[in-house]
Amino acid sequence: MKALVAVKRVVDANVKVRVKPDNSGVDLTNVKMSINPFDEIAVEEAVRLKEKGTVTEIVVVSIGPKEAQEQIRSAMALGADRGILVEADDSQLGALEVAKILKGIVEQEKPELILLGKQAIDDDSNQVGQMLGALLGAGQGTFASVVKVEGTTVQVTREVDGGLQTVELNTPAIITTDLRLNEPRYAALPNIMKARKKPLDTKTPADFGVTSTTKLKTVKVEPPADRKAGVQVKSVDELVEKLKNEAKVI
Amino acid sequence: MSILVIAEHDNKALNGATLNVVAAAQKIGGDITVLVAGSGAQAVADEAAKVAGVSKVLLADNAAYANQLAENVAALVADLGKGYSHILAASTTSGKNVLPRAAALLDASMITDIVAVEGAKTFKRPIYAGNAIATVESAEDIVLATVRGTAFDAVAAEGGSAAVEAVADVKDAGISKFISEEIVKSERPELTAARIVVSGGRGVGSGENYHTVLDPLADKLGAAQGASRAAVDAGFVPNDMQVGQTGKIVAPDLYIAVGISGAIQHLAGMKDSKVIVAINKDEEAPINAVADYWLVGDLNTVVPELVSKL
């Protein structure tokens, strides 16, 4: 079966971002960018399914600036077979528009499995997979920690509040990955070299009939409220005394 | 304005998170209807009818909704939601699973995890793991949003007297089915609602040590227990105990972080706690920067001493 994996170019997970002084957004100039960590897990899962013989081809897609082809190449170095870059100003696109573009790609490529991260670590929306499921009328296995493909069905164990839930979906199915689904591998140098030669198509949102921009307007972006500086206590006695008499929380 | 709130429940009882969502709905203002979609969920509907500020309860009782499968519930929400100005759900795994799907069915954008209501269509929400707060304005006719429970004080569970109306509509997409679930049983308070949380990180060393050292402290304080991603990944405790950007968001009165260094992703889940205590052997640990009180020492001796002095 064919697998489609969506990856997003985001600020690296270890970077502490700063809000721009004019409150228009966060400052991303000269900041390290990477594949969204959850999407890396989605790529890894697709590659593992290919190694097991379940998946025959992995198509990786990214929607974003021209530079997002770096992330597509990274996914190819991990094992994806070919890539599609939908070049767009992703600040103008919300989750709904992204889902609509992905729907167009799915209709063209007809994958049986569609893997995405459960959320992007920049906007923290956690929406695209679910929206794509709705647009395609396909089942969704969100926050997946175990994926088992059996013929035309997929069993997905999901991380839910309180524990785990297992559901069975008919293919084509959408799977959004949680952190515990797998441990992504590192790309080996020869694979990085090979990835440069793999096919990469460039498209635009209009190719998939999507011309609208998001109806959510970001009015301003502010830093979170600062916490008052704390104090170091020297002993357990001092800690207990402070918690009882100063903070009055116990 | 008319607001539809999706109830969070397990077919037996209403989850407290719903009370926080109703509180957010009251800030928006308007008529509040609660939808209970479940199976054998009459008791939940009766409970929802008593919630302060709720004017109507819709009960969609059918086997198709028994396990909150998104494919079925979202179709119902999208259908019923057409007449409302707002559709709200809790930012729980269930709310996050269902609401975006309903939004796409309504061809509307959605706002995740609102922490403040600035106007009927303007909300604040954290982005970049809580390192920035965005004010977002929606131009959609129907505003859909999930609500971060810890940001809104729960409304009273009693005092209301809404009418319960049955919804006969059954949406069964037939593309997904529930197989099983494994719910972690605990005598302790629920993590996201607890007044005190005791969390352990990689520093506690092992699952055995997590329980030996932290259980007595949590017991003494009547606290819920949490963990950092490192502790979960190392298998010390189950993943539903993870606090952070991708786990649970908590804001208790007192958060005690033991053996947790304080990565950005962990801070995202707890830095709105009223008082933060860090117990760590590393003087340079980033957690100290957000802690109100921090104690540098070996958790294996400090924590038992703390238990004995409480």
Side-chain angles (χ1 to χ4, degrees):
Chain A
M1 62 173 53
K2 192 195 264 190
L4 183 86
V5 187
V7 302
K8 184 177 183 184
R9 173 184 171 88
V10 298
V11 62
D12 188 85
N14 298 311
V15 172
K16 192 170 187 310
V17 295
R18 282 181 206 293
V19 171
K20 287 185 197 162
D22 66 357
N23 295 112
S24 62
V26 301
D27 194 353
L28 294 179
T29 42
N30 301 322
V31 166
K32 186 182 175 204
M33 304 294 279
S34 303
I35 295 189
N36 179 45
F38 292 98
D39 304 345
E40 213 170 1
I41 292 169
V43 174
E44 174 68 28
E45 195 64 18
V47 173
R48 288 186 190 191
L49 287 169
K50 194 178 171 193
E51 286 168 346
K52 265 193 248 167
T54 314
V55 162
T56 46
E57 188 187 25
I58 303 168
V59 181
V60 59
V61 51
S62 191
I63 301 164
K66 203 185 302 140
E67 293 78 15
Q69 49 176 281
E70 292 164 23
Q71 279 63 46
I72 295 179
R73 293 285 175 205
S74 304
M76 287 170 168
L78 295 172
D81 296 295
R82 57 189 176 86
I84 301 170
L85 170 65
V86 180
E87 226 183 288
D89 175 2
D90 52 353
S91 68
Q92 296 300 309
L93 301 176
L96 185 61
E97 291 72 31
V98 168
K100 285 178 179 174
I101 295 169
L102 290 174
K103 177 186 182 239
I105 295 174
V106 168
E107 282 168 349
Q108 218 164 62
E109 296 286 339
K110 303 200 171 28
E112 279 92 353
L113 273 186
I114 303 139
L115 296 132
L116 306 89
K118 77 163 176 181
Q119 76 191 61
I121 59 161
D122 52 0
D123 62 33
D124 283 332
S125 284
N126 197 329
Q127 296 180 7
V128 174
Q130 295 89 314
M131 286 182 156
L132 181 58
L135 298 177
L136 292 169
Q140 65 187 52
T142 50
F143 329 140
S145 60
V146 181
V147 173
K148 280 189 200 141
V149 181
E150 284 155 19
T152 56
T153 60
V154 193
Q155 282 213 356
V156 181
T157 300
R158 309 176 50 232
E159 295 200 3
V160 295
D161 295 334
L164 299 169
Q165 181 196 64
T166 303
V167 292
E168 190 178 279
L169 311 169
N170 298 344
T171 54
I174 316 268
I175 291 156
T176 76
T177 63
D178 216 319
L179 285 168
R180 268 160 293 277
L181 181 57
N182 61 48
E183 185 88 37
R185 70 194 67 190
Y186 289 100
L189 187 62
N191 292 344
I192 295 172
M193 302 305 287
K194 268 186 238 158
R196 289 190 188 164
K197 296 201 181 74
K198 289 184 180 176
L200 197 166
D201 279 347
T202 304
K203 304 271 186 188
T204 67
D207 292 340
F208 305 99
V210 178
T211 48
S212 51
T213 56
T214 180
K215 286 192 176 176
L216 300 178
K217 184 176 151 204
T218 300
V219 182
K220 68 176 167 193
V221 175
E222 301 159 289
D226 266 340
R227 285 190 74 91
K228 179 163 75 60
V231 293
Q232 182 177 2
V233 293
K234 298 289 176 206
S235 67
V236 170
D237 286 314
E238 191 187 347
L239 177 62
V240 172
E241 191 274 321
K242 294 265 193 204
L243 289 177
K244 278 191 175 150
N245 303 321
E246 195 176 274
K248 297 191 172 62
V249 283
I250 52 171
Chain B
M1 237 128 13
S2 54
I3 305 169
L4 183 66
V5 168
I6 317 303
E8 174 98 12
H9 66 91
D10 59 359
N11 293 315
K12 294 184 200 77
L14 189 68
N15 185 307
T18 310
L19 303 177
N20 305 89
V21 182
V22 171
Q26 282 187 330
K27 290 237 158 91
I28 296 167
D31 242 22
I32 300 170
T33 301
V34 174
L35 168 66
V36 176
S39 176
Q42 181 69 43
V44 180
D46 292 341
E47 222 183 307
K50 291 196 198 104
V51 171
V54 173
S55 52
K56 189 160 76 173
V57 174
L58 298 176
L59 173 61
D61 209 320
N62 190 282
Y65 308 129
N67 301 99
Q68 306 290 322
L69 289 175
E71 296 77 7
N72 301 348
V73 178
L76 176 74
V77 170
D79 214 25
L80 292 175
K82 284 188 181 106
Y84 293 84
S85 63
H86 295 73
I87 307 175
L88 304 179
S91 272
T92 53
T93 49
S94 177
K96 285 180 174 167
N97 190 36
V98 169
L99 208 64
R101 191 171 176 108
L105 293 174
L106 288 165
D107 194 26
S109 303
M110 193 197 109
I111 308 175
T112 300
D113 233 9
I114 59 167
V115 295
V117 175
E118 300 286 290
K121 296 201 161 190
T122 312
F123 306 90
K124 287 194 174 183
R125 63 174 302 261
I127 53 175
Y128 291 91
N131 286 305
I133 306 293
T135 304
V136 181
E137 196 180 287
S138 174
E140 298 285 2
D141 295 330
I142 304 177
V143 176
L144 292 104
T146 54
V147 175
R148 180 174 286 195
T150 57
F152 297 89
D153 289 332
V155 297
E158 301 280 338
S161 56
V164 178
E165 205 174 281
V167 176
D169 196 10
V170 178
K171 305 279 187 202
D172 192 346
I175 48 176
S176 61
K177 73 178 184 239
F178 171 83
I179 302 291
S180 63
E181 69 187 352
E182 258 176 78
I183 298 299
V184 180
K185 287 202 177 62
S186 171
E187 302 291 305
R188 297 182 199 283
E190 206 262 311
L191 183 53
T192 55
R195 203 181 68 78
I196 302 179
V197 174
V198 173
S199 272
R202 197 196 305 270
V204 299
S206 67
E208 197 187 350
N209 210 41
Y210 179 99
H211 291 294
T212 317
V213 177
L214 297 188
D215 285 5
L217 181 59
D219 287 339
K220 195 98 183 197
L221 293 167
Q225 288 184 311
S228 69
R229 182 187 163 194
V232 172
D233 282 351
F236 300 175
V237 291
N239 52 41
D240 63 298
M241 284 169 70
Q242 183 182 327
V243 171
Q245 182 183 20
T246 63
K248 299 218 166 91
I249 312 286
V250 301
D253 287 348
L254 175 61
Y255 187 91
I256 305 181
V258 181
I260 294 177
S261 64
I264 294 172
Q265 292 79 7
H266 184 73
L267 301 184
M270 46 64 78
K271 69 185 162 71
D272 293 323
S273 303
K274 210 165 121 199
V275 175
I276 297 171
V277 170
I279 298 171
N280 206 305
K281 65 177 191 311
D282 178 9
E283 200 152 339
E284 303 296 319
I287 190 92
N288 297 343
V290 300
D292 296 276
Y293 307 108
W294 74 90
L295 181 57
V296 177
D298 179 354
L299 62 96
N300 292 304
T301 54
V302 169
V303 176
E305 191 188 343
L306 178 59
V307 173
S308 72
K309 284 174 176 165
L310 283 169

